[in-house]
Amino acid sequence: MLKKLPKISLIVCAAISLIVVVMFFLGLGNPNAEFQSPNTGEYLTNSTYTDLFLWWAYILFGIAFVVTILFTIVRFCKLFAENPKKAIRMLVVLVVFALIFVISWSLGSDEKLEIIGYDGTDNVGFWAQFSDMIIFTAYTLFCASFLALFGSMLYSKLKK
């Protein structure tokens, strides 16, 4: 049963995700959430299931974050018992990732964003800075993965 658990959880999460995505894209608009487009002047509506879609994304992110942290801690403990030198190398990688998040956080702004059709308070302060952190981190990791891909191709060509 323990070997089947990852496959079952993957199928369940994929099925729920599919249902939520279909509800989001095919759901009827909320007439109470109409706003006028500044470009065309026509009235647009928000999907009724936008909140559901966002909460499901938060839940998936939280699960992925917790599982990643737990597996990293378990792997570090096992590796430290077997080979402390490799464990320290792994710790350096984790510190670099933490440093990327800290630098991205410090680059973010907590100023209010003017969003058309939105009058809430989640676009100022902590959440605005958190959103900037996520965006800067994504840019950094995208560039790093591109450089690693290019560097590995270059390394393999030079090695031959």
Side-chain angles (χ1 to χ4, degrees):
M1 180 63 182
L2 195 57
K3 289 183 179 183
K4 291 183 181 182
L5 188 62
K7 188 173 184 178
I8 292 170
S9 62
L10 175 67
I11 292 170
V12 168
C13 284
I16 293 172
S17 296
L18 181 65
I19 291 168
V20 169
V21 166
V22 167
M23 288 174 66
F24 175 75
F25 285 110
L26 298 181
L28 298 174
N30 183 356
N32 298 329
E34 282 190 346
F35 61 93
Q36 191 171 7
S37 170
N39 299 331
T40 62
E42 64 183 302
Y43 281 92
L44 306 171
T45 59
N46 289 336
S47 172
T48 305
Y49 301 108
T50 302
D51 285 343
L52 175 66
F53 186 79
L54 290 173
W55 278 109
W56 182 243
Y58 296 151
I59 289 169
L60 289 178
F61 175 76
I63 290 170
F65 183 78
V66 168
V67 168
T68 301
I69 295 298
L70 288 175
F71 277 111
T72 303
I73 291 170
V74 168
R75 178 158 163 72
F76 177 76
C77 292
K78 283 183 178 179
L79 197 58
F80 192 75
E82 295 169 5
N83 190 346
K85 196 172 186 177
K86 281 187 180 179
I88 298 300
R89 207 175 305 150
M90 181 180 162
L91 194 59
V92 168
V93 171
L94 293 176
V95 168
V96 168
F97 271 101
L99 191 62
I100 289 171
F101 279 106
V102 168
I103 292 171
S104 296
W105 175 267
S106 66
L107 290 174
S109 171
D110 61 352
E111 293 179 19
K112 183 175 182 175
L113 297 172
E114 295 300 326
I115 302 173
I116 298 169
Y118 179 74
D119 297 323
T121 59
D122 289 335
N123 61 342
V124 67
F126 170 81
W127 289 111
Q129 195 164 5
F130 180 78
S131 298
D132 284 350
M133 179 193 73
I134 296 298
I135 291 168
F136 289 138
T137 301
Y139 290 159
T140 303
L141 294 178
F142 175 76
C143 291
S145 61
F146 180 75
L147 289 173
L149 180 66
F150 182 72
S152 66
M153 288 187 334
L154 187 65
Y155 178 77
S156 67
K157 294 281 185 189
L158 293 175
K159 192 175 178 182
K160 288 182 181 183

